[in-house]
């Protein structure tokens, strides 16, 4: 049976690698994006994967968008909550707006994405919820009080959903990427980035495809008994 997957923030960075990996594995895939029309159009042109625009931080937009996706490509069996942003600043400089924007996208966005899909998964007795957290949710990070709080919170969501979904054939798991070669990490000042890389025993940034393969495994039927877990893929930077 051909299953359907939705990847939020799926047209760029780690999300794009995940969408492509699932597509190559034979899933029907749709992605969401928040604002970069040009990148989304290029992604769809390259892959043939449909991209839908909405703000995951807004519940009504998410619910309406998900209803549209399900009407167009079928019920969503696998949801990858990947959309995430950074608004880094040392705590004494962090503004309430920087705090709120990150909470809205990275934490509330997971609720808004999974909640409208969940009842259908329960009815069909199958589901895969995969949340992209972060090594920085596990260990904290200088200048990321907001981001680390959301990524740690995402792990709480997954562990709770796992317990609620297990009897209904639904699994919920997290992947915690370390520092991956994406625009987000490349936006870190070069000197800081180099110092971070020097603390990664693997001696390099990860590749988006290395995260995508973790997600594809969690999405597969082989992973049915893995529920409430976290896969850390960080080049031995941190052990949770
Ligand atoms: N540890 C300790 N000290 C640090 C530090 C760190 N990781 N990063 C910066 N500092 C220091 C700076 O050297 C500076 O010290 P001095 O004042 O003595 O020079 C001080 O902290 C901060 O200086 P500023 O007041 O100039 O800071 P700023 O307001 O310009 O902010 C910054 C700079 C936003 C913190 C910038 O350094 C930065 O972006 N740091 C990287 C944060 C980071 O790692 N983000 C991860 C992004 S990738 C991601 O999030 C993906 C994922 O999941 C892994």
């Amino acid at each position: 049976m051909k299953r359907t997957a939705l990847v939020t923030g799926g047209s760029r960075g780690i999300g794009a690698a995940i969408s492509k990996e699932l597509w190559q594995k034979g899933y029907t895939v749709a992605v969401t994006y928040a604002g970069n029309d040009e990148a989304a159009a290029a992604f769809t042109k390259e892959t043939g994967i449909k991209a839908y625009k909405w703000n995951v931080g807004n519940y009504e937009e998410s619910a309406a968008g998900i209803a549209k996706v399900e009407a167009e490509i079928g019920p969503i069996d696998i949801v990858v909550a990947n959309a995430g942003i950074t608004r880094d600043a040392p705590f004494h400089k962090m503004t309430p707006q920087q705090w709120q924007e990150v909470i809205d996208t990275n934490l509330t966005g997971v609720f808004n994405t999974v909640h409208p899909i969940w009842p259908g998964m329960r009815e069909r007795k199958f589901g895969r919820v995969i949340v992209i957290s972060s090594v920085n949710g596990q260990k904290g990070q200088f200048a990321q009080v907001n981001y680390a709080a959301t990524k740690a919170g995402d792990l709480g969501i997954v562990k709770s959903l796992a317990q609620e979904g297990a009897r209904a054939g639904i699994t919920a798991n997290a992947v915690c990427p370390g520092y991956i070669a994406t625009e987000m990490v490349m936006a870190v000042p070069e000197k800081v980035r180099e110092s971070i890389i020097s603390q990664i025993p693997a001696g390099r940034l990860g590749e988006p495809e290395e995260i995508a393969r973790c997600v594809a495994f969690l999405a597969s039927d082989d992973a049915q008994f893995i529920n409430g877990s976290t896969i850390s893929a960080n080049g031995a930077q941190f052990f949770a």
Side-chain angles (χ1 to χ4, degrees):
M1 188 185 50
K2 192 164 167 139
R3 293 211 163 104
T4 296
L6 178 71
V7 183
T8 64
S11 63
R12 292 194 295 141
I14 291 174
I18 293 169
S19 334
K20 288 181 196 170
E21 180 75 17
L22 294 175
W23 181 260
Q24 277 158 15
K25 289 222 157 9
Y27 297 94
T28 301
V29 182
V31 303
T32 79
Y33 70 101
N36 193 331
D37 295 314
E38 211 176 301
F43 174 79
T44 298
K45 195 169 172 211
E46 179 199 339
T47 60
I49 297 172
K50 249 180 140 173
Y52 296 81
K53 185 177 184 176
W54 73 75
N55 171 10
V56 296
N58 180 298
Y59 189 83
E60 283 71 31
E61 273 187 45
S62 295
I66 285 160
K68 188 168 183 229
V69 171
E70 293 201 315
E72 290 185 7
I73 66 167
I76 295 163
D77 304 302
I78 296 148
V79 57
V80 185
N82 163 77
I85 59 169
T86 54
R87 298 285 183 269
D88 294 354
F91 188 55
H92 64 281
K93 289 185 183 171
M94 188 173 285
T95 64
Q97 189 182 345
Q98 287 174 318
W99 167 261
Q100 198 59 50
E101 284 176 8
V102 174
I103 296 286
D104 288 348
T105 301
N106 300 9
L107 186 64
T108 309
V110 176
F111 177 87
N112 294 346
T113 299
V114 180
H115 193 257
I117 297 172
W118 189 254
M121 288 181 166
R122 279 165 50 90
E123 270 166 34
R124 295 187 299 276
K125 300 267 176 281
F126 179 87
R128 292 282 186 269
V129 175
I130 300 157
V131 180
I132 306 305
S133 175
S134 165
V135 64
N136 291 346
Q138 297 173 301
K139 69 169 187 57
Q141 170 60 33
F142 188 102
Q144 285 200 313
V145 164
N146 49 5
Y147 184 88
T150 62
K151 295 299 182 177
D154 289 339
L155 299 180
I157 292 177
V158 156
K159 289 171 189 169
S160 304
L161 285 180
Q163 294 176 48
E164 292 197 23
R167 288 273 184 98
I170 306 170
T171 69
N173 293 289
V175 177
C176 283
Y179 281 75
I180 308 299
T182 60
E183 281 172 40
M184 185 184 272
V185 168
M186 291 315 182
V188 172
E190 195 179 352
K191 256 179 94 179
V192 181
R193 196 171 62 244
E194 274 167 13
S195 126
I196 289 168
I197 294 173
S198 73
Q199 292 158 37
I200 303 173
R204 65 171 175 89
L205 297 174
E207 294 299 329
E209 293 73 20
E210 293 178 300
I211 304 306
R213 289 193 286 272
C214 298
V215 172
F217 173 62
L218 291 173
S220 72
D221 285 5
D222 289 340
Q224 187 64 44
F225 207 55
I226 301 175
N227 204 354
S229 292
T230 299
I231 297 183
S232 298
N234 62 34
Q237 185 186 1
F238 182 77
F239 304 112

